[in-house]
Amino acid sequence: MIHVFLLFSLCFSDYGFLQGVTSLGINYGQVGNNLPPPDRVLDLLSSLKITKARIYDTNPQILTTFANSNIELIVTVENQMLPVVMDPQKALQWVSTHIRPYFPATKITGIAVGNEVFTDDDTSLIGYLVPAIVSIHDALVQLGLDRYIQVSTSNSLAVLEESYPPSSGSFKSEVSGAMSQFLQFLSSTGSPFWINAYPYFAYKDAPNKISLDYVLFNRNPGMVDPSTNLHYDNMLYAQVDAVVYAMFRLGYDGIEVRVSETGWPSKGDPDEIGATAENAAVYNRNLLRRQMSNEGTPLRPNMRLEVYLFALFNEDMKPGPTSERNYGLFQPDGTMAYNVSLSALATTSSTSSASISLTSYATKVKLPPRWNIKA
């Protein structure tokens, strides 16, 4: 029997390290054979005061378990389903089966139609993407759900041809046609552009050229975009603004960019430079500090940047290098993958501030109370 003991000290009236931070969510992946059941996951999210999560399917056990909770969910249409749901009738059937039975008890707020389709090895999927998105949205309209559920797709940063400096941001020419159609949909429906942005990858590929402090949100000189004179003190914000400029180059302004994934691995292969528990703790700690301040990017300082951390758990069945299985804040047994040691002070107004700490603790507060998993 494994119990998880966490101590959360918060200068509000309740426990939880993210209370009041409404712009931050977390990715709840399920590619593991030892993960806790959804009810234990809900306990954990509730204890952390996390109110937004993203899953990579429409797992009925999760959708049922999360009913009548305060967790807002983004669900996913898997890539292999795109050729199916591009048909309006099939899309209506999909929404009627995978969404309608659970809504509104389960707070489904978004549907990601595919994941990183524009950069998938199967390039045929690009032709299915926008028709599938439109069909899913039209199905929501028919069922009266479009006012509550946004439709978009998550994109890899590799969809950009240029990202540095941010003002040079542009999409790859081979996807520009489908991308324009996608942006037209987002513009007409008010849906966000979701980007999976990982400064870790840039640092890993060029550790001698890129400052570790810059990618970890530590204090550093940063960089100034020569075309805009905007100052960037971290790479994540620069990546987000590069997407904004890329959309502008295709004639679209005003579409919100949200970070659907970002994170840092706590372990990696010998050639995965920077993949350490120390760096992962610093990256997530500093990102949470920024979230507590409700920051925007230099280009959009007054638009709070919504971010979903990757990921909730280490997932032992993910293919690829060691880092792929070590992005989690938590181990599957509920213990922390590393000590975030979060201690931050953020003032969001002249009258409200929060002091936060998150540490493993063995004798005081038991959260969640029903966590009981066999290792």
Side-chain angles (χ1 to χ4, degrees):
M1 180 182 296
I2 297 175
H3 294 282
V4 179
F5 301 92
L6 301 175
L7 175 65
F8 301 86
S9 71
L10 186 65
C11 292
F12 293 141
S13 60
D14 201 355
Y15 292 114
F17 82 108
L18 287 174
Q19 181 163 315
V21 185
T22 59
S23 59
L24 186 120
I26 200 158
N27 286 277
Y28 169 18
Q30 305 156 61
V31 189
N33 60 10
N34 56 355
L35 296 175
D39 62 329
R40 303 299 192 264
V41 175
L42 180 59
D43 284 341
L44 178 61
L45 294 177
S46 298
S47 71
L48 297 174
K49 301 300 181 190
I50 291 177
T51 60
K52 295 182 178 181
R54 174 180 173 231
I55 59 176
Y56 294 84
D57 54 18
T58 52
N59 186 321
Q61 189 179 6
I62 294 175
L63 295 182
T64 299
T65 301
F66 280 42
N68 303 310
S69 72
N70 68 336
I71 306 296
E72 297 179 3
L73 273 180
I74 295 174
V75 302
T76 303
V77 180
E78 297 93 329
N79 286 8
Q80 64 268 23
M81 286 296 297
L82 298 187
V84 177
V85 299
M86 66 180 292
D87 178 281
Q89 286 304 117
K90 297 293 186 181
L92 180 59
Q93 182 180 355
W94 188 92
V95 172
S96 298
T97 302
H98 294 86
I99 303 297
R100 191 177 187 182
Y102 305 99
F103 184 89
T106 301
K107 296 179 180 178
I108 301 170
T109 59
I111 300 174
V113 181
N115 185 51
E116 300 190 345
V117 174
F118 283 108
T119 51
D120 195 278
D121 290 338
D122 183 358
T123 56
S124 68
L125 292 175
I126 297 176
Y128 302 129
L129 180 60
V130 176
I133 289 174
V134 171
S135 291
I136 290 292
H137 178 262
D138 288 349
L140 292 172
V141 172
Q142 289 186 55
L143 298 174
L145 303 179
D146 59 299
R147 292 177 296 164
Y148 313 102
I149 302 174
Q150 294 181 317
V151 181
S152 188
T153 191
S154 297
N155 300 279
S156 165
L157 197 73
V159 77
L160 295 182
E161 182 70 42
E162 298 288 343
S163 61
Y164 181 86
S167 61
S168 295
S170 60
F171 292 112
K172 290 182 175 178
S173 58
E174 57 265 35
V175 303
S176 60
M179 182 62 71
S180 293
Q181 296 172 16
F182 172 55
L183 297 178
Q184 172 59 42
F185 170 84
L186 298 183
S187 179
S188 64
T189 60
S191 298
F193 188 104
W194 286 328
I195 188 72
N196 298 340
Y198 290 89
Y200 161 72
F201 291 139
Y203 176 76
K204 176 181 70 71
D205 293 341
N208 296 323
K209 296 181 179 179
I210 296 175
S211 164
L212 181 61
D213 286 332
Y214 181 63
V215 295
L216 291 180
F217 296 92
N218 283 332
R219 184 171 297 178
N220 69 95
M223 58 84 65
V224 175
D225 189 311
S227 296
T228 64
N229 287 324
L230 292 175
H231 177 259
Y232 291 86
D233 65 0
N234 70 86
M235 181 175 283
L236 180 65
Y237 289 5
Q239 291 175 335
V240 170
D241 281 353
V243 173
V244 177
Y245 280 108
M247 292 192 295
F248 182 77
R249 279 187 164 77
L250 290 182
Y252 293 92
D253 189 18
I255 297 174
E256 182 181 0
V257 177
R258 298 178 184 173
V259 179
S260 42
E261 291 181 15
T262 193
W264 197 284
S266 59
K267 187 186 299 183
D269 294 321
D271 63 341
E272 294 188 288
I273 298 173
T276 67
E278 179 182 4
N279 287 341
V282 171
Y283 183 83
N284 287 312
R285 180 189 314 139
N286 286 338
L287 178 58
L288 291 172
R289 284 196 182 112
R290 300 294 183 115
Q291 286 289 292
M292 289 173 61
S293 299
N294 292 321
E295 283 190 349
T297 66
L299 183 60
R300 292 175 167 176
N302 298 320
M303 182 180 290
R304 181 181 59 191
L305 181 64
E306 184 166 301
V307 174
Y308 281 70
L309 287 177
F310 189 88
L312 186 57
F313 296 110
N314 284 339
E315 300 169 66
D316 66 345
M317 294 179 67
K318 293 197 71 173
T322 297
S323 62
E324 286 296 312
R325 295 175 288 282
N326 289 278
Y327 274 90
L329 294 177
F330 292 89
Q331 301 286 4
D333 65 6
T335 58
M336 298 188 70
Y338 47 87
N339 193 346
V340 177
S341 297
L342 179 65
S343 181
L345 182 66
T347 302
T348 57
S349 71
S350 60
T351 58
S352 67
S353 64
S355 178
I356 299 175
S357 66
L358 173 59
T359 55
S360 297
Y361 199 69
T363 57
K364 293 189 178 180
V365 182
K366 295 182 180 181
L367 291 173
R370 296 183 294 144
W371 198 288
N372 179 6
I373 305 166
K374 293 182 178 179

